[in-house]
Amino acid sequence: MLEQIDVTEARDALLTVRRRVEQYAWLMNALHTRDISEDRHFRRAWLNHFKLRDKDREFCRFCFRWLEEHKAGRVSFEQALLDLYRRFGVLDPASASKLAATIDPSLPVWDTQILGSLGIRPLALERSGRRVERTIEAYDKLTAWYIRYLAGKDGRMAVQVFDEVYPGTGFDPMKKADFTIWSILWS
């Protein structure tokens, strides 16, 4: 299901997410032109875009400080996951991937629906130390799938269709494929 892109369906679906595409473009520009740890507009838009509106104030403050501190450097999913885990004692791969992918748009965002479609089951009932390790392994599998997907015919088609609908965005191919897949899944 994730691998076969119907071009007409993808074009139609992508048209329904114009506002999200525009919001993402604004977020990526604002990330590098503002102090996002203090910018309320950015914070509200980021939480809305990544559907993290239910997080408490302390968690949000941490995330925006983390983004501000790391935005000029290189980050990894593992780094974001472990930073959140150390600070809050909770394994939150979805939030960690959103932090990492904001800084490095070539990284995929953790999504249980996509993971399930790929047969990746990361959080089996295991000791907590093993859960961290399994979560990182699951993310590595997700990343490897996206790399293969983007190198293949269907991934190239997903990017091409995105570029036809939204030319000149400058988005990373990962984000273009992500928008295409999600627009189809949610249409």
Side-chain angles (χ1 to χ4, degrees), residues 2 24 46 49-50 75-78 80-81 92-112 114-115 118 120 135-150 172-179 181-182:
L2 294 179
Y24 179 77
W46 190 84
H49 182 80
F50 285 110
V75 297
S76 67
F77 167 76
E78 182 175 351
L81 182 73
D92 189 345
S95 295
S97 72
K98 292 167 184 175
L99 287 169
T102 298
I103 304 297
D104 182 354
S106 70
L107 297 175
V109 172
W110 179 280
D111 182 270
T112 54
I114 290 177
L115 289 165
L118 298 175
I120 301 170
T135 300
I136 293 167
E137 289 169 5
Y139 187 81
D140 290 345
K141 288 178 185 177
L142 176 66
T143 302
W145 179 83
Y146 266 109
I147 290 168
R148 285 190 309 274
Y149 178 73
L150 287 168
D172 189 89
M174 173 72 72
K175 199 58 176 168
K176 293 175 183 182
D178 188 48
F179 268 117
I181 290 169
W182 269 107

Side-chain angles (χ1 to χ4, degrees), residues 3 60 83 184:
E3 301 210 11
C60 292
D83 286 351
I184 293 168

Side-chain angles (χ1 to χ4, degrees), residues 70-89:
H70 292 87
K71 70 183 183 182
R74 295 184 47 87
V75 297
S76 67
F77 167 76
E78 182 175 351
Q79 176 186 2
L81 182 73
L82 293 175
D83 286 351
L84 285 171
Y85 187 64
R86 285 183 202 108
R87 176 67 177 89
F88 297 101

Side-chain angles (χ1 to χ4, degrees), residues 112-175:
T112 54
Q113 187 173 355
I114 290 177
L115 289 165
S117 295
L118 298 175
I120 301 170
R121 310 264 184 270
L123 300 177
L125 296 175
E126 300 180 27
R127 296 185 323 258
S128 63
R130 183 74 177 123
R131 287 185 59 157
V132 170
E133 189 177 302
R134 291 265 301 159
T135 300
I136 293 167
E137 289 169 5
Y139 187 81
D140 290 345
K141 288 178 185 177
L142 176 66
T143 302
W145 179 83
Y146 266 109
I147 290 168
R148 285 190 309 274
Y149 178 73
L150 287 168
K153 181 183 77 157
D154 292 311
R156 289 190 308 270
M157 179 61 67
V159 170
Q160 179 182 338
V161 172
F162 180 91
D163 284 338
E164 288 172 13
V165 177
Y166 300 107
T169 62
F171 292 0
D172 189 89
M174 173 72 72
K175 199 58 176 168

